[in-house]
Amino acid sequence: MSEPSDPTDPIAPRDPSDDLFDDIVDGETDRDPDLAVIEAGSRTLRAVSGPPQGDPVPSRPADPELDKALRAVETELSTRWGETKLDPSVTRIAALMDVLGEPQRAYPSIHITGTNGKTSTARMIETLLGAFELRTGRYTSPHVQTITERISLDGAPIDAERFIETYQDVKPYVELVDAREEFRLSFFEVLTGMAYAAFADAPVDAAVVEVGMGGTWDATNVIDAAVAVVTPIDLDHTDRLGSTPAEIAVEKSGIIKQGATVVLAQQPVDAAQVLLKKAVEVDATVAREGMEFGIVAREVAVGGQLLTLRGLGGEYDNVFLPLHGAHQAHNAAVALAAVEAFFGIGSDHARTLDVETVRRAFAQVASPGRLEVVRKSPTVILDAAHNPHGARATAEGISEAFGFSRLIGVVSTSADKDARGLLEAFEPIFAEVVITTNSNPRASDVDTLAALAVEVFGEDRVVVEPRLDDAIEEAITLAEEEGEYAGAGVLVTGSIFTVGDARLLLKKG
């Protein structure tokens, strides 16, 4: 593998509509919930300052005909198994790769699993590789707003035209595999095939691939990645992956391949034991956070945090990360170690990456929907925490980075998640919580979720607003009470779908 070269240096608010939200929700109820977050209009919200420029999340195509074509692809994909219906096997995706000519073997890969932090870590890795002049492909899931987010080239979501072309290119091969197998390829399997084909067609120098769920039988696991990354493991998808961190780690360890380097974030002891055992079995080199790499120093800074990181080859000081929370600093340490391992640092090369390039890359990192400030006066923050582990990290990050005297939560979860555990994690920081629902048909029933919230918060601290736009409006009103306007904030959380809906309500595109 070649060493990195020295790089050369070089929107308006929506119109209000009382009826559009209901019309779109009614019209979208038959769509697969994993295809797109509903583009719902909003009643007039008083937090109407414009969104920041350079939004990393793409909007729907402005061209009506192109948008129609993209929706047609989404509709076809919606006829397939969604991401919540799984057959634990890579047989079908392997068959698709075979008829496509094994595109996933045309480039080296970094494969990422774990419970929380996968997408943020993937974005950091992608940005670092790009800073060293490598052409990158990134595959992550689920999306915040638009399906095209899942496949990125050169650090930007694939455009709608290319997404459609890629689908049309692989469609005949998908149908061929469908005819041969007992079950048709699933939604996620087809998208995975599209991503691998798009990366080969680009072509990319490196692919950064996030698993959909687990590892061993995840559709992405037809790559033989030289670097396997495991972000923190905790309890999630327990009905499919196991009821303890150790059981979940068994599934996730499946991405660790013969002779690879495995980069391990800090893990529960039982999960770490499983991962280390698998590494020994396949003769993988292990890099452990807190041992071979980690965080040397961290301090809160305006707009993010300032880090000193110890990588596999040495220290990197004065690294500004424009993301909030200790968990993002840990993600940064993992991402740096993964890129060092990709370039052979720590094994073939006893040196560091160019520190100025590393600094420049981290300063450009964005992670939409992760402690993302989308409005001011009062401050409105979006975060995709959807399980207790993620919620605890978010609560700590909010407390550290924002001096709120009064914080109101807006919460909608998915019905298959540990909603009680999530609410308990947020209870210490929320003055009140507004329970609502998102556009996903799998969203928790608002009354059921409200009953749990009353048990956790007490009746006086719980408000119910079934419509998300109403819930955000109510949360803003509550945040402004008692003359605490300057120190008030709103956190919208509980699900990636909740965040996606809120983003569309509060920002254009």
Side-chain angles (χ1 to χ4, degrees):
M1 185 180 297
S2 62
E3 296 180 23
S5 58
D6 291 332
T8 57
D9 292 324
I11 305 191
R14 294 179 179 273
D15 291 331
S17 170
D18 287 343
D19 300 321
L20 184 56
F21 186 94
D22 293 326
D23 291 343
I24 296 176
V25 171
D26 291 342
E28 296 286 344
T29 52
D30 293 331
R31 292 183 71 192
D32 188 287
D34 297 307
L35 288 181
V37 174
I38 291 172
E39 294 191 43
S42 172
R43 297 183 178 182
T44 302
L45 298 174
R46 285 172 288 133
V48 292
S49 57
Q53 298 300 310
D55 191 345
V57 177
S59 61
R60 297 293 307 190
D63 181 351
E65 290 302 314
L66 183 58
D67 188 56
K68 180 180 179 181
L70 180 59
R71 290 189 185 277
V73 172
E74 292 175 334
T75 299
E76 288 190 24
L77 287 169
S78 72
T79 65
R80 298 181 175 274
W81 281 358
E83 286 165 296
T84 59
K85 186 172 182 180
L86 303 169
D87 176 39
S89 168
V90 295
T91 301
R92 290 179 302 279
I93 187 65
L96 179 60
M97 293 297 99
D98 181 56
V99 296
L100 286 174
E102 304 291 347
Q104 81 282 13
R105 305 197 188 285
Y107 38 79
S109 301
I110 296 176
H111 205 179
I112 307 169
T113 190
T115 301
N116 291 307
K118 296 187 296 296
T119 298
S120 292
T121 303
R123 285 180 171 273
M124 293 178 193
I125 292 172
E126 171 191 48
T127 304
L128 281 165
L129 292 174
F132 285 99
E133 297 184 335
L134 294 188
R135 189 167 199 201
T136 58
R138 173 173 54 83
Y139 181 52
T140 53
S141 60
H143 53 273
V144 178
Q145 288 178 198
T146 306
I147 194 171
T148 55
E149 294 167 39
R150 295 182 179 226
I151 303 173
S152 288
L153 295 172
D154 295 321
I158 191 171
D159 60 45
E161 295 96 333
R162 194 163 191 169
F163 184 90
I164 295 165
E165 290 169 3
T166 302
Y167 176 74
Q168 296 300 338
D169 287 345
V170 305
K171 182 178 177 181
Y173 301 96
V174 168
E175 292 173 342
L176 180 64
V177 173
D178 284 344
R180 294 176 176 177
E181 299 295 326
E182 180 181 3
F183 303 111
R184 297 170 71 214
L185 287 154
S186 70
F187 164 81
F188 187 73
E189 288 169 333
V190 174
L191 275 180
T192 302
M194 288 172 60
Y196 289 157
F199 296 163
D201 184 62
V204 302
D205 300 313
V208 183
V209 179
E210 174 189 336
V211 303
M213 185 185 300
T216 301
W217 43 258
D218 186 73
T220 63
N221 202 30
V222 288
I223 56 174
D224 290 319
V227 179
V229 176
V230 187
T231 65
I233 291 174
D234 208 275
L235 301 182
D236 200 9
H237 300 295
T238 53
D239 56 329
R240 297 178 178 90
L241 301 180
S243 58
T244 67
E247 290 175 353
I248 294 171
V250 171
E251 289 298 330
K252 295 186 182 293
S253 69
I255 73 165
I256 303 172
K257 303 300 173 59
Q258 187 73 36
T261 297
V262 54
V263 177
L264 298 181
Q266 292 179 349
Q267 303 290 346
V269 173
D270 56 346
Q273 290 172 339
V274 170
L275 296 167
L276 292 172
K277 180 181 178 182
K278 177 59 181 284
V280 170
E281 290 173 354
V282 298
D283 196 27
T285 300
V286 177
R288 299 157 294 176
E289 184 181 5
M291 299 291 286
E292 286 75 24
F293 70 94
I295 301 169
V296 175
R298 185 180 77 89
E299 59 183 276
V300 176
V302 176
Q305 49 194 310
L306 193 64
L307 310 174
T308 297
L309 301 175
R310 178 166 55 84
L312 303 179
E315 283 195 7
Y316 302 78
D317 62 357
N318 294 316
V319 175
F320 176 69
L321 181 67
L323 301 175
H324 301 291
H327 60 296
Q328 294 290 15
H330 288 285
N331 290 339
V334 170
L336 177 62
V339 172
E340 286 183 310
F342 183 82
F343 286 128
I345 292 174
S347 55
D348 299 335
H349 308 292
R351 60 175 178 80
T352 62
L353 296 171
D354 179 71
V355 66
E356 288 300 328
T357 305
V358 169
R359 288 171 182 154
R360 185 170 63 252
F362 274 119
Q364 297 170 352
V365 168
S367 194
R370 279 73 180 179
L371 283 179
E372 180 185 18
V373 178
V374 292
R375 285 294 184 268
K376 299 286 188 179
S377 300
T379 300
V380 179
I381 300 170
L382 308 180
D383 192 87
H386 57 275
N387 55 47
H389 181 263
R392 288 191 294 271
T394 296
E396 291 171 5
I398 285 272
S399 299
E400 176 184 79
F402 300 91
F404 292 128
S405 58
R406 182 175 176 81
L407 180 65
I408 308 299
V410 176
V411 177
S412 173
T413 64
S414 294
D416 59 343
K417 300 297 182 181
D418 180 3
R420 179 186 291 277
L422 181 139
L423 291 168
E424 288 174 343
F426 283 125
E427 189 276 333
I429 68 167
F430 286 166
E432 296 179 71
V433 62
V434 183
I435 299 301
T436 188
T437 191
N438 61 53
S439 62
N440 190 331
R442 297 201 312 273
S444 297
D445 173 74
V446 69
D447 292 329
T448 301
L449 185 59
L452 279 177
V454 168
E455 293 178 11
V456 173
F457 287 82
E459 189 171 356
D460 292 343
R461 295 169 62 196
V462 177
V463 178
V464 179
E465 288 287 356
R467 284 173 50 128
L468 181 59
D469 55 348
D470 291 336
I472 296 172
E473 179 74 12
E474 176 64 18
I476 291 170
T477 299
L478 291 170
E480 293 174 353
E481 285 182 351
E482 300 179 12
E484 297 185 75
Y485 185 88
V490 172
L491 174 65
V492 184
T493 190
S495 165
I496 191 70
F497 298 100
T498 305
V499 165
D501 285 355
R503 222 172 179 274
L504 286 162
L505 292 168
L506 291 163
K507 302 170 68 170
K508 185 176 181 181

